[in-house]
Amino acid sequence: MSLVIKVGLASCGLAAGAGEVFAAIKTHIKKNKIDVEVKETACIGMCFAEPLVEISREDQKSIIYGEVTPENIGNIIDAFTKGKPVEENVIISNILKGSENKTYKKQKRIVLRNCGVIDPISIDDYLGNDGYTALEKSLKEMSRVDIISDIKNSGLRGRGGAGFPTGLKWLFAYNAQNDKKYIVCNADEGDPGAFMDRSVLEGDPHSVIEGMIIGAYAIGADEGYIYCRAEYPLAIKHLNIAIEQATEKGYLGNNIFGSDFNFELHIKEGAGAFVCGEETALMASIEGKRGMPTIRPPFPAQSGLWGKPTNINNVETFANIAWIILNGASEYAKYGTDKSKGTKVFALAGKIKNSGLIEVPMGMPLKEVIYGVGGGMKTEKPFKGVQLGGPSGGCLPSELLDTIVDYDSINKTGAIMGSGGMVVMDTSTCMVDIAKFFLNFTQNESCGKCTFCRVGTKRMLEILIKISDGDGKMEDLDTLEELAHNIIKGSLCGLGQTAPNPVLTTLKYYRDEYIAHIKDKKCPAGVCTSLLKYEVIEDKCIGCTVCAMKCPVNCISGERKQVHKIDQDACIKCGACYDACKFNAIKKG
Amino acid sequence: MKFKTEIDITINKFIGKKGILIPLLQNAQDIEGYLSKDLMSYVSEKTGIKLAHIYGVATFYTMFRLKPQGKHIIRVCKGTACHVSDANSIMKEVNKQLDLTNEEDTTKDGKFTVMSVACLGCCSLAPVIMVGDNTHGRLTPDSIGKILKKYE
Ligand SMILES: Cc1cc2nc3c(=O)[nH]c(=O)nc-3n(C[C@H](O)[C@H](O)[C@H](O)COP(=O)(O)O)c2cc1C
Ligand code: FES
């Protein structure tokens, strides 16, 4: 019986210690002369249980183990080879009863078709899963217009956030008359809390490259750029390897598949600026300038990189292309809703049990995404909100969890679909703090070109700080809303136009919490330090003196075996006493 | 400039191509550790790109450092997922261990530079930090000391 052991070695796996597990497997099988093939793969999406190891038999029976350690892996392998697999740490299996994959069934994996399945740095693995056959079909059997109309008919909309119809965008670029055109992949993924693009680039770089080559052929571009943020070193490494392999096989370069189509692809590393995710700023950055957005029109399709017609799409958008060409537009359009077709990848994070990467058909209610696929809350604390769309999006409360995942339904709530980051929050999160967090982010990242965005976000942030410090007034809420609407109107690019969304949605859905900060001078979630008060619970304090010893400002007094007291005026609210007390005799409120 | 020969090789590699400034500065920074005034003037002289333009780019992007850096760069993630998983206490602990006060600083012995970043893409393991190219996840303040020891 020959076995295959696959280890997930994407960034998430490596951060959880998969590198050490991989080394331990190699040593173990060498030492015990076990006949197995050890393979690398990337992220299967179940990041919550990293490091993940899959052991499979020739007959496709397999077990995926989670939270594997260098210490327990030897035993797991030995037991499996003996036909008596270990039943702890099983995440999914088609051998053991009760561990069949339930959440997987609710998903539809188009973009993630190869992620966690193939070895991302083996082009043969990709070729073995229909890789580059869509490109061959495009070049040999389809005209440029055929491809564009296929993409148009599939209903695919850009996955970078705005949801612009991809086929239409390609048509604009196709129609532009010029002997030089560019195609660009936006892999800047600036939304903090989102990691879909990272996983796709790390786990299946060829699918993005194939999508780009097909796009380039369709619009008539002969040169392309992938703009990837520098915080993703592994993604950049895998892209470089994939480009080299594709060039060697002749999928990049001159006369691809014997046609007269030539295409050259480069990688540009970002240098750390959120605004560079905006398409015009991104192109300025590729040209070596400060990443400042410019006014549109002219749209990139008329005048983009170095003034030439340019088509720019997101990583996930490109990863859909080959599948659509191979399976047909109508097959893709079978999934989803009237105006949002296909599937969407989401990065689940925060206080959710199955944090990681999922891909679901459009139209699924948020509730099903969070509870059905995501497994519900991780902590005992109840659900409070889900943040969609990052700094451009908003927080939605439980009353809105019936909202379905599609561009228009989510827009109606005041949040946006965004690129697919979904951060789930429980009652330990303060919504004023979250609004402050995002405003701090956008205020820092504003490029400074538009006054409203530059100064307005700063003023909003100051008001939010005032509120969380307990110095807010009720009028401040009106000022916040007024400023928000003016910033939306007075900004040139999407950054400013959407920066107030986190404030507006929290004001709309969690207004009580703002009022509690302003009127009662209380932070119900216990996050805003200035409003916190630490007090000794007299019946619980046994006078062990630990808190007094830990207090950095010596503001706790009391004799040994006597009830202690915190001097409220001197307290800096660091929480050291609260953490140190073994008898839960300190109350935070 | 400490490594003039390497800088010359890098500049020559880029000259004549388009859109070179950012990757050139990235490479130069990798060699020298940071972008000194002398280095930027030298790049300007060799490439013909105006110094003001170079300085403008260097100050626009957060990756560019205008001050000497520690041997290891610690990026403490302050993205959304890490923020709701109490990234602040991780930052506090890192600074405490290294005896630093500011959000962004270098230790006196030049071993570490600490900075906060917005998302390292490992949000499901929040809170997360990155030391050099290695990411460490599922952290608690107690785990910081052990991690930093590895990089002494
Ligand atoms: C401030 C800002 C940041 C953005 N960041 C990203 C990003 O990180 N990734 C991305 O694909 N699109 C981002 N976009 C959207 C792009 O401008 C552009 O619409 C997108 O790349 C187009 O690709 P698509 O049609 O495939 O969605 C951002 C837009 C704005 C205004
Ligand atoms: S928010 Fe910290 S890694 Fe994404």
Side-chain angles (χ1 to χ4, degrees):
Chain A
M1 182 174 60
S2 85
L3 297 179
V4 180
I5 301 183
K6 279 192 208 168
V7 188
L9 290 175
S11 306
C12 39
L14 290 171
E20 289 80 0
V21 172
F22 189 70
I25 295 176
K26 290 249 170 168
T27 330
H28 184 80
I29 58 168
K30 199 165 163 207
K31 202 165 121 205
N32 298 290
K33 304 205 172 57
I34 306 170
D35 178 29
V36 293
E37 187 190 350
V38 185
K39 292 188 73 168
E40 293 184 25
T41 188
C43 175
I44 327 182
M46 290 173 286
C47 313
F48 62 95
E50 293 281 6
L52 291 161
V53 174
E54 178 181 4
I55 311 184
S56 48
R57 301 197 306 233
E58 246 166 20
D59 61 359
Q60 305 291 318
K61 295 281 181 200
S62 70
I63 301 182
I64 298 180
Y65 287 98
E67 295 181 31
V68 179
T69 62
E71 291 74 36
N72 69 13
I73 186 65
N75 191 21
I76 291 177
I77 298 175
D78 295 345
F80 195 95
T81 49
K82 289 191 193 113
K84 285 210 179 100
V86 176
E87 301 196 10
E88 285 89 54
N89 291 32
V90 173
I91 303 296
I92 297 178
S93 147
N94 51 11
I95 307 177
L96 301 168
K97 276 226 150 51
S99 46
E100 296 82 5
N101 196 340
K102 291 180 205 94
T103 62
Y104 243 56
K105 285 215 184 83
K106 299 185 173 148
Q107 301 192 36
K108 171 68 200 163
R109 292 165 86 91
I110 293 177
V111 172
L112 303 178
R113 59 194 181 272
N114 292 325
C115 283
V117 180
I118 64 167
D119 177 353
I121 53 173
S122 153
I123 193 168
D124 292 326
D125 267 24
Y126 183 68
L127 292 171
N129 281 5
D130 293 334
Y132 291 105
T133 44
L135 176 64
E136 185 171 8
K137 182 177 169 191
S138 305
L139 288 176
K140 291 191 174 158
E141 297 165 26
M142 296 171 83
S143 71
R144 302 192 141 118
V145 179
D146 287 345
I147 298 174
I148 294 173
S149 58
D150 255 18
I151 300 303
K152 229 167 126 188
N153 295 337
S154 73
L156 174 65
R157 291 170 67 171
R159 300 293 190 240
F164 191 82
T166 306
L168 197 58
K169 198 187 253 188
W170 287 18
L171 188 65
F172 290 150
Y174 169 83
N175 283 336
Q177 299 299 324
N178 208 303
D179 49 9
K180 179 85 191 171
K181 293 182 194 173
Y182 291 99
I183 193 158
V184 175
C185 173
N186 189 342
D188 198 41
E189 192 154 78
D191 167 5
F195 50 92
M196 303 75 51
D197 296 350
R198 171 186 70 73
S199 293
V200 175
L201 293 171
E202 283 179 4
D204 194 14
H206 283 290
S207 71
V208 179
I209 294 172
E210 186 176 1
M212 284 188 79
I213 307 174
I214 296 172
Y217 169 70
I219 65 163
D222 65 353
E223 199 172 352
Y225 286 93
I226 302 176
Y227 187 89
C228 185
R229 69 196 299 240
E231 285 87 344
Y232 290 174
L234 193 63
I236 293 173
K237 187 174 148 200
H238 286 186
L239 278 173
N240 273 312
I241 295 172
I243 289 179
E244 208 170 286
Q245 292 169 337
T247 311
E248 219 163 82
K249 295 259 184 198
Y251 306 136
L252 285 171
N254 291 340
N255 305 104
I256 300 170
F257 279 110
S259 67
D260 58 359
F261 168 60
N262 308 331
F263 184 60
E264 185 185 357
L265 187 55
H266 318 277
I267 298 175
K268 280 273 174 177
E269 264 182 58
F274 172 67
V275 72
C276 286
E278 197 280 336
E279 53 192 30
T280 57
L282 185 148
M283 291 187 295
S285 181
I286 293 182
E287 291 174 11
K289 301 183 196 147
R290 287 161 76 101
M292 304 269 232
T294 46
I295 207 157
R296 295 173 307 179
F299 286 93
Q302 284 107 42
S303 171
L305 261 186
W306 290 289
K308 304 289 179 198
T310 303
N311 180 78
I312 172 164
N313 280 120
N314 166 261
V315 170
E316 194 184 326
T317 314
F318 280 125
N320 275 302
I321 302 296
W323 193 96
I324 296 173
I325 297 291
L326 276 188
N327 297 278
S330 54
E331 189 60 28
Y332 189 81
K334 261 194 211 158
Y335 300 98
T337 60
D338 195 21
K339 289 208 179 115
S340 303
K341 298 292 182 198
T343 58
K344 178 79 196 86
V345 181
F346 286 102
L348 304 179
K351 304 294 169 66
I352 191 165
K353 208 182 262 160
N354 302 344
S355 59
L357 215 63
I358 58 153
E359 182 172 355
V360 296
M362 295 271 192
M364 187 182 268
L366 285 172
K367 196 180 258 157
E368 180 68 2
V369 175
I370 295 169
Y371 290 91
V373 184
M377 301 303 288
K378 183 163 75 177
T379 55
E380 310 260 280
K381 297 199 171 109
F383 174 92
K384 179 163 179 182
V386 56
Q387 213 284 338
L388 298 177
S392 313
C395 289
L396 303 183
S398 54
E399 301 88 84
L400 287 177
L401 287 188
D402 291 326
T403 309
I404 58 165
V405 169
D406 93 354
Y407 289 97
D408 313 280
S409 310
I410 293 182
N411 280 348
K412 260 189 225 141
T413 63
I416 61 162
M417 174 92 95
S419 55
M422 234 188 233
V423 182
V424 174
M425 299 165 189
D426 63 17
T427 47
S428 67
T429 300
C430 165
M431 288 300 167
V432 178
D433 178 69
I434 286 295
K436 193 172 85 178
F437 166 80
F438 280 117
L439 251 280
N440 185 39
F441 179 84
T442 32
Q443 194 266 132
N444 268 324
E445 295 294 340
S446 167
C447 78
K449 189 166 180 166
C450 308
T451 318
F452 267 102
C453 177
R454 183 183 69 240
V455 187
T457 53
K458 196 165 176 68
R459 293 291 98 85
M460 282 180 81
L461 178 62
E462 283 163 3
I463 296 176
L464 290 168
I465 292 176
K466 216 171 90 183
I467 295 176
S468 70
D469 280 349
D471 301 324
K473 297 195 192 73
M474 285 306 283
E475 303 90 86
D476 287 338
L477 299 186
D478 302 328
T479 318
L480 274 180
E481 274 169 349
E482 193 190 333
L483 273 170
H485 292 298
N486 287 330
I487 294 171
I488 293 172
K489 270 190 274 174
S491 302
L492 179 78
C493 88
L495 192 148
Q497 286 160 4
T498 59
N501 286 353
V503 180
L504 289 174
T505 51
T506 47
L507 268 175
K508 185 162 162 199
Y509 300 121
Y510 303 92
R511 203 175 186 92
D512 289 354
E513 205 163 335
Y514 280 87
I515 297 175
H517 283 75
I518 297 172
K519 285 197 172 156
D520 311 338
K521 308 286 173 216
K522 277 215 155 56
C523 173
V527 173
C528 300
T529 357
S530 312
L531 298 177
L532 282 184
K533 197 168 167 192
Y534 288 95
E535 279 171 307
V536 177
I537 305 171
E538 298 196 355
D539 337 338
K540 285 196 179 166
C541 177
I542 62 152
C544 71
T545 73
V546 167
C547 58
M549 283 187 291
K550 286 275 172 179
C551 177
V553 292
N554 294 322
C555 75
I556 305 180
S557 56
E559 295 293 311
R560 179 167 280 283
K561 299 205 171 144
Q562 300 287 316
V563 172
H564 281 51
K565 197 171 170 10
I566 301 174
D567 176 357
Q568 294 300 336
D569 294 333
C571 175
I572 56 163
K573 296 160 189 180
C574 67
C577 53
Y578 182 82
D579 295 336
C581 182
K582 290 198 188 82
F583 307 96
N584 294 325
I586 299 207
K587 131 177 127 185
K588 173 164 115 170
Chain B
M1 281 187 295
K2 281 196 211 133
F3 306 95
K4 192 162 167 290
T5 341
E6 284 90 339
I7 294 287
D8 279 332
I9 295 172
T10 305
I11 295 177
N12 288 334
K13 216 171 64 194
F14 281 103
I15 271 178
K17 298 191 185 143
K18 56 188 177 182
I20 58 166
L21 183 56
I22 294 171
L24 197 163
L25 291 180
Q26 276 165 335
N27 281 348
Q29 175 166 288
D30 286 346
I31 296 168
E32 290 274 325
Y34 74 108
L35 302 177
S36 63
K37 238 190 199 161
D38 290 347
L39 177 57
M40 286 189 274
S41 314
Y42 190 69
V43 170
S44 166
E45 204 179 290
K46 286 273 170 172
T47 57
I49 301 172
K50 287 203 178 66
L51 184 57
H53 184 71
I54 295 179
Y55 186 73
V57 164
T59 49
F60 185 83
Y61 296 97
T62 51
M63 304 286 283
F64 293 122
R65 315 264 123 214
L66 304 183
K67 282 192 306 216
Q69 298 299 292
K71 190 168 145 214
H72 305 288
I73 306 239
I74 305 178
R75 296 171 213 271
V76 180
C77 179
K78 289 215 166 170
T80 322
C82 291
H83 181 79
V84 302
S85 306
D86 208 8
N88 283 334
S89 70
I90 303 295
M91 186 59 148
K92 243 194 231 161
E93 185 62 27
V94 171
N95 277 342
K96 193 168 130 199
Q97 295 265 344
L98 299 177
D99 207 10
L100 296 173
T101 43
N102 292 333
E103 282 271 297
E104 195 166 323
D105 217 345
T106 303
T107 52
K108 284 199 193 74
D109 60 7
K111 257 188 201 145
F112 294 101
T113 292
V114 181
M115 59 180 82
S116 62
V117 292
C119 195
L120 294 166
C122 289
C123 322
S124 40
L125 302 175
V128 177
I129 67 171
M130 196 164 169
V131 187
D133 271 350
N134 302 322
T135 315
H136 303 270
R138 292 197 192 114
L139 301 175
T140 59
D142 297 338
S143 53
I144 300 297
K146 221 173 99 196
I147 291 171
L148 295 185
K149 276 223 179 70
K150 286 195 217 161
Y151 297 91
E152 287 299 326

